[in-house]
Amino acid sequence: MADYAHARGVDRLVRLALDEDLPGPDLTTEATGVGGCSAAAAFVARQACTLSGIGVAERVFAILDPAVRFERLREDGATVAAGEAIARVSGRAGSILAGERTALNFLQRLTGVATVTRAMVDLLAGLRVTLLDTRKTTPGWRQLEKAAVRDGGGTNHRFCLSDAVLIKDNHVRLAGGTAPAVAAARARLAPGTRIEVEADTLAEVRAALAAGADAILLDNADPATAREAALLVGGRAVLELSGGITAANLREMAATGADCVSCGALTHSAPAVDISLEFL
Amino acid sequence: MADYAHARGVDRLVRLALDEDLPGPDLTTEATGVGGCSAAAAFVARQACTLSGIGVAERVFAILDPAVRFERLREDGATVAAGEAIARVSGRAGSILAGERTALNFLQRLTGVATVTRAMVDLLAGLRVTLLDTRKTTPGWRQLEKAAVRDGGGTNHRFCLSDAVLIKDNHVRLAGGTAPAVAAARARLAPGTRIEVEADTLAEVRAALAAGADAILLDNADPATAREAALLVGGRAVLELSGGITAANLREMAATGADCVSCGALTHSAPAVDISLEFL
Amino acid sequence: MADYAHARGVDRLVRLALDEDLPGPDLTTEATGVGGCSAAAAFVARQACTLSGIGVAERVFAILDPAVRFERLREDGATVAAGEAIARVSGRAGSILAGERTALNFLQRLTGVATVTRAMVDLLAGLRVTLLDTRKTTPGWRQLEKAAVRDGGGTNHRFCLSDAVLIKDNHVRLAGGTAPAVAAARARLAPGTRIEVEADTLAEVRAALAAGADAILLDNADPATAREAALLVGGRAVLELSGGITAANLREMAATGADCVSCGALTHSAPAVDISLEFL
Amino acid sequence: MADYAHARGVDRLVRLALDEDLPGPDLTTEATGVGGCSAAAAFVARQACTLSGIGVAERVFAILDPAVRFERLREDGATVAAGEAIARVSGRAGSILAGERTALNFLQRLTGVATVTRAMVDLLAGLRVTLLDTRKTTPGWRQLEKAAVRDGGGTNHRFCLSDAVLIKDNHVRLAGGTAPAVAAARARLAPGTRIEVEADTLAEVRAALAAGADAILLDNADPATAREAALLVGGRAVLELSGGITAANLREMAATGADCVSCGALTHSAPAVDISLEFL
Amino acid sequence: MADYAHARGVDRLVRLALDEDLPGPDLTTEATGVGGCSAAAAFVARQACTLSGIGVAERVFAILDPAVRFERLREDGATVAAGEAIARVSGRAGSILAGERTALNFLQRLTGVATVTRAMVDLLAGLRVTLLDTRKTTPGWRQLEKAAVRDGGGTNHRFCLSDAVLIKDNHVRLAGGTAPAVAAARARLAPGTRIEVEADTLAEVRAALAAGADAILLDNADPATAREAALLVGGRAVLELSGGITAANLREMAATGADCVSCGALTHSAPAVDISLEFL
Amino acid sequence: MADYAHARGVDRLVRLALDEDLPGPDLTTEATGVGGCSAAAAFVARQACTLSGIGVAERVFAILDPAVRFERLREDGATVAAGEAIARVSGRAGSILAGERTALNFLQRLTGVATVTRAMVDLLAGLRVTLLDTRKTTPGWRQLEKAAVRDGGGTNHRFCLSDAVLIKDNHVRLAGGTAPAVAAARARLAPGTRIEVEADTLAEVRAALAAGADAILLDNADPATAREAALLVGGRAVLELSGGITAANLREMAATGADCVSCGALTHSAPAVDISLEFL
């Protein structure tokens, strides 16, 4: 796993998940006495998907029982066909049964995010527009879901409130206007820091440009307004469209001349992909 | 908040979420210098929904800044109309802006689970069938999502591997059959412990009954098979249907004579409900 | 170690114990300069006992110094004679000296619980009665002490407040009687959930039966009352005796016709077994 | 609570205990629907005892539900009669029921330690001998059990391996004798650091004296040997007796002229004191 | 405390610090029996300084004993004269004595960072150059030390590896040159992301400009080279000087025409400021 | 690493440091795409120093990526020349780049403490005086900095408030004088416990001697007073000088006849040593 910070986040979340599911012994396996048998099983996609989270599934078993062997057949970002095996596990049956649900819960959700993202990115074929995610992620999962967006071919917007400046309507109102808000920020930030400003109308786009914004997030615009905004901006700032973006309107919005389109549903409403663990 | 264990889980997850979103200062609020202003805002539902997670949103602000005042207007489980206010917050603008996204990320997802559950429960009107959730929950969120299912009128299936016995196909195979699996469990468990057995076919339902199962989970059955199974069981065990249950087939499946229907999508694929924080 | 949840609990508690005993360096070993020598030692039982906690002792050294070799000579649940070696450790003297007391503190207490349990179970020879533990465990040690009870041949009662229903006198009083308490629970719980009701008198046993309890915990009864209760229940519910059970009265109580006897002293008052680490 | 470090330890252990007992909701209270009632109850000693842990019981409820009112009637160290009330709690019934067992598990064990200690200290009446505890404490509980020993009138020996030097037989062997062990320690430690040496025989006592030990721990001696050792030492070092000390031989051992007697059973084998929570 | 993320970081670090200093009771206060007295004391600067960490000192006492009253007399960023009181504490003497050293250890170091920063910023008077910090902070203290730099009038460079792009010599070498490194980054990052490139020579400055870097960090340059670099860049990118900056050469370096100067010594080598707690 | 408690402390602090620096991915390495290359690098001292923290640097990479090979060339306590290599790392370039700054931040500070300590110890050549550290350590770093002092040839004073008795001016005042403070402590502590008393004047030295102090810490004395104090004490107690000790006055203070000199600046103001990671 090349993404180290994320790798450490994985372990903390995997432990939390195992604590939830196994506060005590696995009653069923203990009671039936089958834990000590040897077993092998395969994670199989039940529907076509773009894989994400294979490393997390691997950590589930590594943390539960280091003696379980986990063999990846596909990597994050891969296009997987329905019926295709993703990974194989073998070892103590008790360990495989104990980790099965937790591993699936991770895999299904993250692959869901990557799959939705890939579908959206494919809709943008031929356009020079970047699909961005948002901060509308599942609490506790931000790094994992942002990685799933990358696995699906999307690009990450800011990770958190501490790493980029996005002046929203409320900041503008409290600061007494776009110009004073941007000016205050310029004065306090290191030279060259990128400042993005949210706009809800063309007037606000003009104000943001006048204030010297490096990027403008135009929220909840219809395609006509977006097109006008793109003309207005004319390359003097990065233009990002946001709000209400769905598969249905993505291409139309992206064709307006904007540089980026951001979509919260990539992470907050991606349905789980059907994956199962089949014992061999 | 009456659910204490859950209350403690909330704080841990809220801290994790705030750590993700605020590893350092809120750059935008610091740079624009508006953090010290007073502000008030309302959480408003943008669509009709069944509320869940109001206590979590409250904890977000309590942990971030105890001086923020949070007033609940509705409680978990309430039916909320589009446009209706759910809660009001007031205090330092910087605190409200810093907690906004995290509070919304919790509220939108949990209310999503409760809303889907409520819709499914309503489809069962007039039938004596219980809608159950599963262990297919978001890792780290099990107690919260199980509570959201209750808020939506659903009933919780087991919480984890340690609190109930569910003998699945793999246990049966490894134990050499349904009868020896159940017999082994009976011998090891305290007298009177409830044993549920998974069945994929009517033959397996018969085997489970013969082995003395207290409950039978019939997986992936069509309505006809489910009806036959209900006749076969005839009240000698609790009959639960699972697998592939959606809003489209729920009522038909529930009308087969089964006692319960369980549905993983309640928790793994509920779309986020649209809720926003409107500054006053 | 086959019990994964417990395995994870072990590590957290082992770390807590090592933090307590070694907040800084081991002053004596550092000052005498002997830490770097090689050493080997054996854990030896100083009295006959039933072993529990060997895996915990192993984790103490694994966490402290992965280079220490720990060889188990006996497994949990084994009957060990006075003078018999349980395990051998070898490696850096400093590591063995640093882990000695912590490993012994775990082993002595858990073996104490298993030994007391085994003695109680042996008193039940020939009777069809199950010896149960309780929730009267050492805070922080529940999974370990419950496992020690299993190692001693006992059976676990519920693990926590979240995994089984036991309606006690106070629930009955607050609910306005046994019948309404049980009825309320039946309405809220998934079909088939086992409901146990506590009773202090024969009248309460009757009330519990009438209310449809699946199991009845008769508290603090004398043998005569217990016999009468068993006749009354007549197999319609599981009957469990609790309160004031000691080695002195266990067999008499168990012979009353009850199904189970539960005993808090297994975990809250088992004296430590004398085990020592002998350097070779 | 005046003992701050211990106060923080309490919270961590209380949280661990609550997590064990309440991984999810309190099923019984939820199912019977009685959680919302108001209730009041008293902790009552069922046997005469020396109290310890009242502050821990208080923290259990404070952490679970800050709205519960906890009124101490007696303080740690108090002599409590059978039937006497120790504390009163009032508030939401659900909160009191949820915290009952955890609070009792702490109180019963700590009061057990204080009660056994007090009985041992009373046996020393009129002698100028100090009763010491050991590091044979329950892992996770060292600060709490050491405080219980103080509550019972005992005195704490070292808290951990990092705060005092005690050269044991194995250090001596590895260092090539008592004299080189003590000399090495003197050279490395700050001037004036107290060095205690373990001795198993009178010869070893002599060696320790010759090496300049500040204190000598004589292990497993009979009274005659202890008397001889006291004469030998003659006030040139502190003499401590350890090993096999019980109520039966404590006074005889203490009357040998030693300065201190240490006893592991104070913490590793004190039976729980019977305390119950009586609802009013 | 307006900086929430930082506020949460404070508590974790304060707890770690208190655990270090108080693993058990405060032996001296317990032994002398003075803990229960009332006391009042003032934090007094022994030398002129720029204050930072007053909120951390406040949290030390709040966590240790919520009954201690802590009154701030000065705020972070204030210029404090030698002999001036910074804050007053009153309450249980035992609590004040227990928190004294920990509070001072925080205050002295953070005020040290702010004081050094302020002195450096003052040296830049009249120049349009920004003083930046680096990632050379004390592990565990990044947010606190970055806030101290702000308190001293400095500006924060990036907080971590995840929030800004700085292509260093090793990235360039591994990517096969400046141009391919920048091009690869442009292709993967969201449009408009700021890219900074490190340069050690004027040739590398030229390469960075040609590659389209938004900012250039010129490392270890002498004033003449820095001046030439500034001419070369000519406002087409932000120019930052770094490496070997001290009070002795700061103004000369800053006068070269660069936009920013960054200095690791602000955080890695600031000597502690002398502050003491005087009992009244 | 022979110091186990410290070893565990290292991991916690290393994780905290990595979380600070890598809350998400390493943006630069990801964006330039060079993470997957193989690389090797050496830690090189840029100035003569006494090494400390090599094991911590090793843990940084072990935690980040177990596949990185870390080869120590020198050990803690070694005298290292300017330009000398301390350790070599090889493995994935992304892992080395991700851990570089964190490893350096640890190494530079700890080596700073050891280097300053070694310089001070060398100033004491030929004198029978022990150089002690204090509790003025960086919060979170106590064990590491105390180990660095040992690596530099210094000796540790007490580790925390729980492991040694040091009666300061405030204890004396609250207890009503030196004599009652010492008497109270003697009565409560185990026989033979060492009691140190702080004195600011010769009168207080006399009072401490009269009260039977085992050690006296004379604070902020000039050399003449220190000499007089040494004559006064005359070997009846350990005499320690503290307060305002610097390299400039250390030898003069040490030559007064005192047994020890303690110096807070060893840990609170040691400048970082310049160490860099050079890619090969």
Side-chain angles (χ1 to χ4, degrees):
Chain A
M1 207 172 299
D3 188 339
Y4 306 103
H6 147 189
R8 285 170 292 116
V10 165
D11 277 19
R12 188 164 41 198
L13 200 56
V14 166
R15 287 209 164 79
L16 200 53
L18 290 171
D19 281 346
E20 281 179 343
D21 206 31
L22 283 162
D26 178 345
L27 273 196
T28 310
T29 299
E30 289 249 324
T32 54
V34 302
C37 309
S38 284
F43 285 93
V44 177
R46 292 277 186 76
Q47 60 182 100
C49 57
T50 298
L51 187 62
S52 182
I54 190 72
V56 189
E58 187 172 7
R59 292 302 300 160
V60 168
F61 293 101
I63 286 173
L64 204 52
D65 177 358
V68 164
R69 183 174 143 75
F70 186 101
E71 187 189 355
R72 300 187 190 190
L73 302 175
R74 304 303 309 271
E75 291 293 334
D76 283 352
T79 303
V80 175
E84 195 176 341
I86 295 166
R88 253 189 299 253
V89 280
S90 54
R92 246 182 123 269
S95 306
I96 297 175
L97 290 165
E100 171 183 6
R101 185 73 263 143
T102 298
L104 285 170
N105 284 347
F106 277 109
L107 262 185
Q108 291 182 284
R109 175 173 300 268
L110 292 171
T111 297
V113 171
T115 300
V116 164
T117 304
R118 169 55 58 201
M120 298 283 268
V121 168
D122 288 350
L123 287 173
L124 297 176
L127 297 175
R128 292 177 50 103
V129 174
T130 304
L131 179 69
L132 297 174
D133 57 19
T134 66
R135 284 167 50 243
K136 299 181 180 179
T137 54
T138 309
W141 286 62
R142 183 157 295 166
Q143 294 302 330
L144 286 174
E145 291 182 347
K146 291 258 174 186
V149 166
R150 294 195 298 272
D151 290 333
T155 299
N156 297 142
H157 207 293
R158 63 177 172 167
F159 283 87
C160 62
L161 290 173
S162 307
D163 68 0
V165 177
L166 171 48
I167 299 178
K168 296 198 164 187
D169 51 354
N170 293 310
H171 298 99
V172 166
R173 209 168 311 146
L174 293 162
T178 304
V182 173
R186 282 274 177 248
R188 282 194 186 86
L189 296 162
T193 303
R194 179 186 195 258
I195 294 181
E196 181 164 13
V197 174
E198 186 186 281
D200 290 337
T201 63
L202 291 173
E204 288 177 16
V205 171
R206 267 181 220 105
L209 280 173
D214 302 299
I216 297 171
L217 182 155
L218 179 60
D219 203 25
N220 289 316
D222 55 34
T225 311
R227 259 186 303 273
E228 231 174 307
L231 289 172
L232 239 165
V233 171
R236 285 176 293 160
V238 170
L239 179 62
E240 172 186 348
L241 304 180
S242 188
I245 310 289
T246 64
N249 66 2
L250 175 65
R251 193 161 172 99
E252 186 181 9
M253 292 301 289
T256 57
D259 302 288
C260 331
V261 173
S262 62
C263 176
L266 297 183
T267 50
H268 71 53
S269 294
V273 159
D274 195 2
I275 300 175
S276 67
L277 184 67
E278 315 273 353
F279 278 70
L280 309 174
Chain B
M1 204 172 300
D3 188 338
Y4 305 103
H6 146 192
R8 285 171 292 119
V10 165
D11 277 18
R12 189 163 40 199
L13 199 56
V14 166
R15 287 209 165 79
L16 201 53
L18 291 171
D19 281 346
E20 282 179 342
D21 206 31
L22 283 162
D26 177 345
L27 274 196
T28 310
T29 300
E30 290 248 324
T32 53
V34 302
C37 308
S38 283
F43 285 94
V44 177
R46 292 277 186 77
Q47 59 181 102
C49 58
T50 298
L51 186 62
S52 182
I54 189 71
V56 189
E58 188 172 8
R59 291 302 299 160
V60 168
F61 293 100
I63 286 173
L64 205 51
D65 177 358
V68 165
R69 183 174 142 77
F70 186 100
E71 187 190 354
R72 301 187 189 190
L73 302 174
R74 305 303 310 274
E75 292 292 333
D76 284 352
T79 302
V80 174
E84 196 176 340
I86 295 165
R88 252 188 300 252
V89 280
S90 55
R92 245 180 127 271
S95 307
I96 297 176
L97 290 164
E100 172 182 3
R101 185 72 263 144
T102 298
L104 284 171
N105 284 348
F106 278 109
L107 262 184
Q108 291 183 284
R109 175 172 299 267
L110 292 171
T111 297
V113 171
T115 300
V116 165
T117 303
R118 168 55 59 199
M120 299 284 268
V121 167
D122 288 349
L123 287 172
L124 297 175
L127 297 175
R128 292 176 50 102
V129 173
T130 304
L131 179 67
L132 297 174
D133 57 19
T134 66
R135 285 166 49 241
K136 298 180 179 180
T137 55
T138 308
W141 286 62
R142 183 157 294 167
Q143 294 302 328
L144 285 174
E145 291 183 347
K146 292 256 173 186
V149 166
R150 294 196 299 272
D151 290 333
T155 299
N156 297 141
H157 206 293
R158 63 176 173 169
F159 283 86
C160 63
L161 289 173
S162 307
D163 70 358
V165 177
L166 172 48
I167 299 177
K168 295 198 163 186
D169 50 355
N170 293 310
H171 298 100
V172 165
R173 208 167 313 146
L174 292 163
T178 306
V182 174
R186 283 274 177 249
R188 280 194 187 88
L189 295 162
T193 303
R194 180 184 193 258
I195 294 179
E196 182 164 11
V197 174
E198 186 185 280
D200 290 337
T201 63
L202 290 173
E204 286 176 17
V205 171
R206 267 181 220 105
L209 279 175
D214 301 300
I216 296 170
L217 182 155
L218 180 59
D219 202 22
N220 290 317
D222 55 34
T225 310
R227 259 187 303 273
E228 230 175 308
L231 289 173
L232 238 166
V233 172
R236 284 175 296 163
V238 170
L239 179 63
E240 173 185 346
L241 303 181
S242 189
I245 309 287
T246 64
N249 67 2
L250 174 66
R251 192 160 173 100
E252 185 181 8
M253 291 302 288
T256 57
D259 301 289
C260 332
V261 173
S262 61
C263 175
L266 297 184
T267 50
H268 71 52
S269 294
V273 160
D274 195 1
I275 300 175
S276 67
L277 184 67
E278 315 273 354
F279 278 70
L280 308 175
Chain C
M1 205 172 299
D3 188 340
Y4 306 102
H6 146 189
R8 285 170 293 120
V10 165
D11 277 18
R12 188 163 41 199
L13 200 56
V14 166
R15 286 209 165 79
L16 200 54
L18 290 171
D19 281 345
E20 282 179 343
D21 206 30
L22 283 163
D26 178 345
L27 274 196
T28 309
T29 300
E30 291 249 324
T32 53
V34 302
C37 310
S38 283
F43 285 94
V44 177
R46 291 277 186 77
Q47 59 181 100
C49 58
T50 297
L51 186 62
S52 182
I54 189 71
V56 190
E58 187 171 9
R59 292 301 300 161
V60 168
F61 292 101
I63 286 173
L64 204 52
D65 177 359
V68 165
R69 182 174 142 78
F70 186 100
E71 187 189 355
R72 300 187 189 190
L73 303 175
R74 304 303 309 273
E75 291 293 333
D76 284 351
T79 302
V80 174
E84 195 176 339
I86 294 166
R88 253 189 299 250
V89 280
S90 54
R92 243 182 126 272
S95 306
I96 297 176
L97 291 164
E100 171 182 7
R101 183 73 263 143
T102 298
L104 285 170
N105 284 348
F106 277 109
L107 262 185
Q108 291 183 283
R109 174 172 300 268
L110 291 171
T111 297
V113 170
T115 300
V116 164
T117 303
R118 169 55 58 201
M120 298 284 270
V121 168
D122 288 349
L123 287 173
L124 296 176
L127 297 175
R128 292 177 49 101
V129 174
T130 303
L131 180 68
L132 297 175
D133 57 19
T134 67
R135 284 167 50 243
K136 298 181 179 178
T137 54
T138 309
W141 287 62
R142 182 157 296 165
Q143 295 302 329
L144 285 174
E145 290 182 348
K146 291 257 173 186
V149 166
R150 294 196 298 272
D151 290 333
T155 299
N156 298 142
H157 205 295
R158 63 175 172 170
F159 282 86
C160 62
L161 288 173
S162 307
D163 70 358
V165 177
L166 171 48
I167 299 178
K168 295 199 165 187
D169 50 355
N170 293 310
H171 298 101
V172 165
R173 210 168 310 147
L174 292 163
T178 304
V182 174
R186 283 274 177 248
R188 279 196 188 86
L189 296 163
T193 304
R194 180 186 194 257
I195 294 179
E196 180 164 13
V197 175
E198 186 186 281
D200 289 339
T201 63
L202 291 173
E204 288 178 15
V205 171
R206 268 182 219 105
L209 280 173
D214 301 301
I216 297 171
L217 181 156
L218 179 60
D219 202 24
N220 289 317
D222 55 34
T225 310
R227 258 188 302 274
E228 230 175 308
L231 289 172
L232 238 165
V233 172
R236 285 176 294 163
V238 171
L239 179 62
E240 173 186 347
L241 303 181
S242 189
I245 309 288
T246 65
N249 66 3
L250 174 66
R251 194 163 172 97
E252 185 182 8
M253 291 301 289
T256 57
D259 300 289
C260 332
V261 173
S262 62
C263 176
L266 297 183
T267 50
H268 72 52
S269 294
V273 158
D274 195 1
I275 301 176
S276 66
L277 183 68
E278 316 271 354
F279 277 70
L280 308 175
Chain D
M1 203 171 300
D3 188 339
Y4 306 102
H6 145 191
R8 284 170 294 118
V10 165
D11 276 18
R12 189 164 40 199
L13 199 57
V14 165
R15 286 210 165 79
L16 199 55
L18 290 172
D19 281 345
E20 282 179 343
D21 206 30
L22 282 162
D26 177 346
L27 274 197
T28 309
T29 299
E30 290 248 325
T32 54
V34 303
C37 309
S38 283
F43 285 93
V44 177
R46 292 277 186 78
Q47 59 181 99
C49 57
T50 298
L51 187 62
S52 183
I54 189 71
V56 189
E58 188 172 8
R59 291 302 300 161
V60 168
F61 293 100
I63 286 173
L64 204 51
D65 177 359
V68 164
R69 183 174 142 77
F70 186 101
E71 188 190 354
R72 300 187 190 190
L73 302 174
R74 305 302 310 272
E75 292 292 334
D76 284 352
T79 302
V80 174
E84 195 175 340
I86 294 166
R88 253 189 301 251
V89 281
S90 55
R92 245 183 125 269
S95 306
I96 298 176
L97 290 163
E100 172 182 5
R101 183 74 264 144
T102 298
L104 285 170
N105 284 348
F106 277 108
L107 262 184
Q108 291 182 283
R109 174 172 300 268
L110 292 171
T111 298
V113 171
T115 300
V116 163
T117 304
R118 169 55 60 199
M120 299 283 270
V121 168
D122 288 349
L123 287 172
L124 297 176
L127 297 175
R128 292 176 50 101
V129 174
T130 303
L131 179 68
L132 297 174
D133 56 20
T134 66
R135 284 167 49 244
K136 299 181 180 179
T137 54
T138 308
W141 287 62
R142 182 157 295 165
Q143 295 302 329
L144 285 174
E145 291 182 348
K146 292 257 172 186
V149 165
R150 294 195 298 272
D151 290 333
T155 299
N156 297 141
H157 206 294
R158 63 176 172 171
F159 282 87
C160 62
L161 289 172
S162 307
D163 70 357
V165 177
L166 171 48
I167 299 177
K168 295 199 165 188
D169 49 355
N170 294 310
H171 298 100
V172 166
R173 208 167 312 147
L174 293 163
T178 305
V182 173
R186 282 276 177 246
R188 279 195 188 88
L189 296 163
T193 303
R194 179 186 195 256
I195 294 179
E196 181 164 13
V197 175
E198 187 186 280
D200 290 337
T201 62
L202 291 173
E204 289 177 15
V205 171
R206 267 181 220 105
L209 280 174
D214 300 300
I216 297 171
L217 182 155
L218 179 60
D219 203 24
N220 289 317
D222 56 34
T225 311
R227 258 187 304 273
E228 230 174 310
L231 290 172
L232 238 165
V233 172
R236 285 176 295 162
V238 170
L239 179 63
E240 173 186 346
L241 304 181
S242 189
I245 309 289
T246 64
N249 67 1
L250 175 65
R251 195 164 170 96
E252 185 181 8
M253 292 301 289
T256 56
D259 300 289
C260 331
V261 174
S262 62
C263 176
L266 297 184
T267 50
H268 72 52
S269 294
V273 159
D274 195 1
I275 301 176
S276 67
L277 183 67
E278 315 272 354
F279 277 70
L280 307 175
Chain E
M1 205 172 299
D3 189 339
Y4 306 103
H6 144 193
R8 285 170 293 117
V10 164
D11 277 19
R12 188 164 41 199
L13 199 57
V14 166
R15 287 209 164 79
L16 200 54
L18 290 171
D19 281 346
E20 281 179 344
D21 205 31
L22 283 162
D26 177 346
L27 273 196
T28 310
T29 300
E30 290 248 324
T32 53
V34 302
C37 308
S38 283
F43 285 93
V44 177
R46 292 277 186 77
Q47 59 181 100
C49 57
T50 297
L51 186 62
S52 182
I54 189 71
V56 189
E58 187 173 7
R59 292 303 300 161
V60 168
F61 293 100
I63 286 174
L64 204 53
D65 177 358
V68 164
R69 184 174 141 77
F70 187 101
E71 188 189 354
R72 300 186 189 190
L73 302 174
R74 304 304 309 272
E75 291 293 332
D76 283 352
T79 302
V80 175
E84 195 177 340
I86 295 165
R88 253 190 298 252
V89 281
S90 54
R92 245 181 125 271
S95 306
I96 297 175
L97 290 164
E100 172 182 4
R101 184 74 262 144
T102 298
L104 285 170
N105 284 348
F106 278 109
L107 262 184
Q108 291 182 284
R109 175 172 300 268
L110 292 171
T111 297
V113 171
T115 300
V116 164
T117 303
R118 170 54 59 199
M120 299 283 269
V121 168
D122 287 349
L123 288 172
L124 297 176
L127 297 175
R128 291 176 51 102
V129 173
T130 303
L131 179 68
L132 297 175
D133 56 19
T134 67
R135 285 166 50 243
K136 299 180 179 179
T137 54
T138 309
W141 286 62
R142 183 158 294 166
Q143 295 302 329
L144 285 173
E145 291 182 348
K146 292 257 173 186
V149 166
R150 294 195 299 271
D151 290 333
T155 298
N156 298 141
H157 207 294
R158 63 176 173 170
F159 283 87
C160 62
L161 290 173
S162 307
D163 69 359
V165 177
L166 171 47
I167 299 178
K168 296 198 164 186
D169 51 355
N170 293 310
H171 298 100
V172 166
R173 209 168 312 147
L174 292 163
T178 305
V182 173
R186 282 274 178 248
R188 280 194 187 87
L189 295 163
T193 303
R194 180 186 195 256
I195 295 179
E196 182 164 10
V197 174
E198 187 185 280
D200 290 337
T201 63
L202 290 173
E204 288 176 16
V205 171
R206 267 181 221 106
L209 279 173
D214 301 299
I216 297 170
L217 182 156
L218 179 60
D219 202 24
N220 290 317
D222 55 34
T225 311
R227 257 186 305 272
E228 229 174 310
L231 289 174
L232 238 166
V233 172
R236 285 176 295 161
V238 170
L239 179 63
E240 173 186 347
L241 304 181
S242 189
I245 310 288
T246 64
N249 66 2
L250 175 66
R251 194 161 171 98
E252 185 182 9
M253 292 301 288
T256 56
D259 302 289
C260 331
V261 174
S262 61
C263 176
L266 297 184
T267 50
H268 71 51
S269 294
V273 159
D274 195 1
I275 300 175
S276 67
L277 183 66
E278 315 273 353
F279 278 70
L280 308 175
Chain F
M1 205 173 301
D3 189 338
Y4 305 103
H6 148 189
R8 284 170 292 118
V10 165
D11 277 18
R12 190 164 39 200
L13 199 57
V14 166
R15 286 209 165 79
L16 200 54
L18 290 172
D19 281 345
E20 281 179 343
D21 206 32
L22 283 163
D26 177 345
L27 274 195
T28 310
T29 300
E30 291 248 324
T32 53
V34 302
C37 309
S38 283
F43 285 94
V44 177
R46 293 276 187 77
Q47 60 181 100
C49 57
T50 298
L51 186 63
S52 182
I54 190 71
V56 189
E58 187 171 9
R59 291 301 300 159
V60 168
F61 293 100
I63 286 173
L64 205 52
D65 177 359
V68 165
R69 182 174 143 77
F70 186 101
E71 188 190 354
R72 301 186 189 191
L73 302 174
R74 305 303 309 272
E75 292 292 333
D76 284 352
T79 302
V80 174
E84 195 176 341
I86 294 165
R88 252 189 299 251
V89 280
S90 54
R92 244 182 126 271
S95 307
I96 297 175
L97 290 164
E100 171 181 6
R101 185 73 262 143
T102 298
L104 285 171
N105 284 348
F106 277 109
L107 262 184
Q108 291 182 283
R109 175 172 298 269
L110 292 171
T111 297
V113 171
T115 300
V116 165
T117 303
R118 168 55 58 200
M120 298 283 269
V121 167
D122 288 350
L123 287 173
L124 296 176
L127 297 175
R128 291 176 50 102
V129 173
T130 304
L131 179 68
L132 297 175
D133 58 18
T134 66
R135 283 166 50 243
K136 298 180 180 179
T137 54
T138 308
W141 287 62
R142 183 157 295 165
Q143 294 302 329
L144 285 174
E145 291 182 347
K146 291 258 174 185
V149 167
R150 295 196 297 272
D151 290 333
T155 299
N156 298 141
H157 205 294
R158 63 176 173 170
F159 283 86
C160 63
L161 290 173
S162 307
D163 70 359
V165 177
L166 172 48
I167 298 177
K168 297 199 163 186
D169 50 355
N170 293 310
H171 298 100
V172 165
R173 208 168 312 147
L174 292 163
T178 305
V182 173
R186 283 271 178 251
R188 280 195 187 86
L189 296 163
T193 303
R194 180 185 194 258
I195 294 179
E196 181 164 13
V197 174
E198 186 186 280
D200 290 337
T201 63
L202 291 173
E204 287 177 17
V205 170
R206 268 182 220 105
L209 280 174
D214 301 300
I216 296 171
L217 181 155
L218 179 60
D219 202 23
N220 289 316
D222 55 33
T225 310
R227 259 187 303 272
E228 230 175 309
L231 290 173
L232 238 166
V233 171
R236 283 176 296 162
V238 170
L239 179 63
E240 173 186 347
L241 303 181
S242 189
I245 309 287
T246 64
N249 66 3
L250 175 66
R251 192 161 174 100
E252 185 181 9
M253 291 302 289
T256 57
D259 301 289
C260 333
V261 173
S262 61
C263 175
L266 296 184
T267 50
H268 71 53
S269 295
V273 160
D274 195 2
I275 301 175
S276 66
L277 183 67
E278 315 273 353
F279 277 71
L280 308 175

